[in-house]
Amino acid sequence: MKTFCGRANPTTGALEWVEESEEYDYHQEIARSCYADMLHDHDRNEKYYQGIRAAVARVKARGEKVVILDIGTGTGLLSMMAVTAGADFCYAVEVFKPMAEAAQRIVEKNGFSDKIKIINKHSTDVTVGPDGDMQMKANVLITELFDTELIGEGALPSYEHAHQNLVQDGCEAVPHRATVYAQLVESELLWSWAQLQLEVEGRLSGSAACLWVAVPRAHSVCDIQLSQVSPNSFTPLGPLCTMFRVDFICAQSSGRAQVVLSWWDLDMDPSGSIVCTMAPSWTYPQPKMGPVSYKTQCHDALIQAAVAPSLMLRCVVVEGPLDAECVLPACGEQVTEGEELSLTVCHDDYSLWYSLRSPPSRPCCTCQAHLVWTRPRFGELNDRQRTESYVSALRSVLREDSVCLSVSDGSLLPVFARMLGAKKVLLTRQRSWLSRQKLIDRKSLGQISVLMGEPYFSTSLLPWHSLFFWYCRTALAGLLRPSAAILPCSATLHMVAVEFQDLWRIRAPCGTCEGFDVTPMDEMVQQSLDFRESREAEPHPLWEYPCRALTQSTAIMTFDFTQCVPQQPISSLGLLIGCCHGVALWMEYHLTNDITVSAGLIGPISEQGDCEWSRHRKQGVYFFRSPWESSGDGRAAVSYSFTFEPSSGDIKMDFSIESQ
């Protein structure tokens, strides 16, 4: 059965009716579920296995049969571990139907169908009794319900319901408890992601003008990989503090904070001898290996999926309540060294927040800016070097009689242009105006002397979605003076072949995991990836995922904004040589002939292939189905083909291995 879905094309801005199969959402969820990176995480799996074996042994030592309740079973891996460890029976609960079906096939393939029952329900809907989903209450509870905020996936309500309805009093739990840590720091980098501070000086002529903007702070949770935040970019203002512990037998909490780096650990057993730590790599005694040998492998999809322990961390920039349970000597915002600060952490069922004042009420945004701008967007607007590039470009094209039109979402370019002396500045009110064919004030026909954009649009995901600016420029052709300046005047799509440290795991087949056959999961994911005729690039913030460049940056195609969008496709062909997992793609915007702003690589590639990526935009990543490697004599290579389709605004890409 086919259905038609209306959507705004992120590149052209046009309203489209797209024919989709009723199975489209199903396959998209499967392809994006990203269980592979968790299955490839040997250290995480081993810690769970050790905890499960210990829990099963304790129950057997009491002379009891071992009945497992596995909430959020995913592939069924932890349930199979439990049965292998000696459990008598396991109830494996999975709410996502495709995943539950995959788990059923995996359990059957490994010969555990007589001891593992897959229940396709939310755990809070599971019942116990002769006619219920479970015949008896469990005495071992196994869960994997955690995200970067620990409790953001609803772990606490699930635990509460399970303890009240599904498990015996005094049951064993794996993991047994979690500990949340926090550290107060001073960091211009982290602070720039939470509030806006700008300063622009000077006019084209006459007296100087100064603009300074400060947006009030608000509760802002930033899910980032702190291992990729250099210790040189922050100054600790106090010691690492244990904020509180959540005991999964009986949940409790208390704690404190101001500008905080936060992470957590999982104790897999009551004694705390089996620990899975989320600590960033710079806290480890040895690089990339923690005190419990937890390797740094992670992916931001874990925030939305059935989350496994990972190194995804949260940076919280908040002001708020004060309490007196944890006292830190600190120096920072309006405090001096040696001053005592009480840090308080609070939580509800789904989130944490820190504060430095009482009462510890939940903070909320009152400036509205945090409803419009994302954390990377705040960082982009606070990037002084980037701002200077735009201001310099504006100075080069502005005149005292300039009439400017800005096409960008939430941009400060109109403010800059006015402060620099432009006669008049117009701006579009909403992105949908193009699809409705509503032009700006028709009195401005032929009067616009400067069309400017960053370009930035809130609906853009992939780098080339910002080509919406080009379609706007084409639609606005009648408003522009013949000599109008277009800023940026062009953009170039760049590509580099890369070898990822960890990100490749999200697309890598698992085969076997800890001795269990999980190929049905691989088959299901592959079918979902094949559901569409052509594969697509995905958006990822590459600064958080270390990779090594195996080729030099290649300019694939250039888009000339001084001209209208062409009628014919633009194509590019070429070769890549090296060993890689995929290619990274990004746009560079040429504001003028000599001023360029990159949304990807922001520095040269080192001799070792090290890359420095922009923190403000996500780059496109095209994953190869399997890593390829050239032969020693360099006779093997990957050919690429890119085609920009003006009618749809899409960039189609294809890669194939060929001999030289």
Side-chain angles (χ1 to χ4, degrees), residues 527-644:
Q527 290 172 0
S528 297
L529 291 173
D530 293 338
F531 181 67
R532 288 202 162 197
E533 292 181 1
S534 62
R535 299 179 68 231
E536 301 173 347
E538 303 174 7
H540 293 282
L542 292 185
W543 76 270
E544 296 192 61
Y545 303 106
C547 61
R548 182 170 67 94
L550 301 160
T551 65
Q552 289 300 311
S553 171
T554 302
I556 303 170
M557 56 181 63
T558 298
F559 310 96
D560 185 359
F561 296 157
T562 64
Q563 305 297 320
C564 292
V565 176
Q567 297 297 315
Q568 300 301 316
I570 302 173
S571 298
S572 175
L573 305 173
L575 294 173
L576 299 172
I577 298 177
C579 167
C580 61
H581 299 111
V583 297
L585 303 127
W586 70 95
M587 298 287 277
E588 292 187 0
Y589 302 103
H590 309 291
L591 306 185
T592 63
N593 291 332
D594 56 355
I595 301 177
T596 297
V597 174
S598 175
L601 282 176
I602 55 177
I605 299 172
S606 72
E607 293 183 0
Q608 295 74 33
D610 296 331
C611 304
E612 184 179 0
W613 298 97
S614 169
R615 290 184 171 95
H616 309 320
R617 302 280 182 103
K618 290 183 178 181
Q619 292 74 43
V621 178
Y622 186 101
F623 291 100
F624 296 144
R625 301 204 174 197
S626 60
W628 58 268
E629 186 170 2
S630 65
S631 60
D633 57 7
R635 292 182 177 276
V638 165
S639 65
Y640 64 81
S641 171
F642 286 79
T643 302
F644 170 68

Side-chain angles (χ1 to χ4, degrees), residues 467-522:
L467 291 178
F468 178 64
F469 176 81
W470 200 11
Y471 287 84
C472 291
R473 178 259 181 270
T474 302
L476 294 167
L479 299 179
L480 306 178
R481 294 179 186 176
S483 59
I486 311 296
L487 190 158
C489 60
S490 63
T492 306
L493 179 64
H494 286 253
M495 173 183 69
V496 64
V498 293
E499 179 182 24
F500 288 108
Q501 177 177 304
D502 294 306
L503 189 60
W504 63 273
R505 299 173 191 276
I506 68 173
R507 290 292 174 265
C510 300
T512 60
C513 180
E514 308 306 322
F516 301 104
D517 187 342
V518 294
T519 52
M521 181 65 196
D522 292 338

Side-chain angles (χ1 to χ4, degrees), residues 364-376:
C364 61
C365 173
T366 57
C367 66
Q368 307 302 311
H370 299 84
L371 303 179
V372 177
W373 292 326
T374 62
R375 181 255 305 175

Side-chain angles (χ1 to χ4, degrees), residues 31 38 84 88 116 119 136 178 228 332 340 354 362 373 446 495 497 548 583:
M38 293 182 273
T84 303
D88 295 282
I116 298 176
I119 303 173
M136 65 189 73
Q228 303 310 313
E340 292 186 350
Y354 295 88
R362 174 187 287 278
W373 292 326
M495 173 183 69
R548 182 170 67 94
V583 297

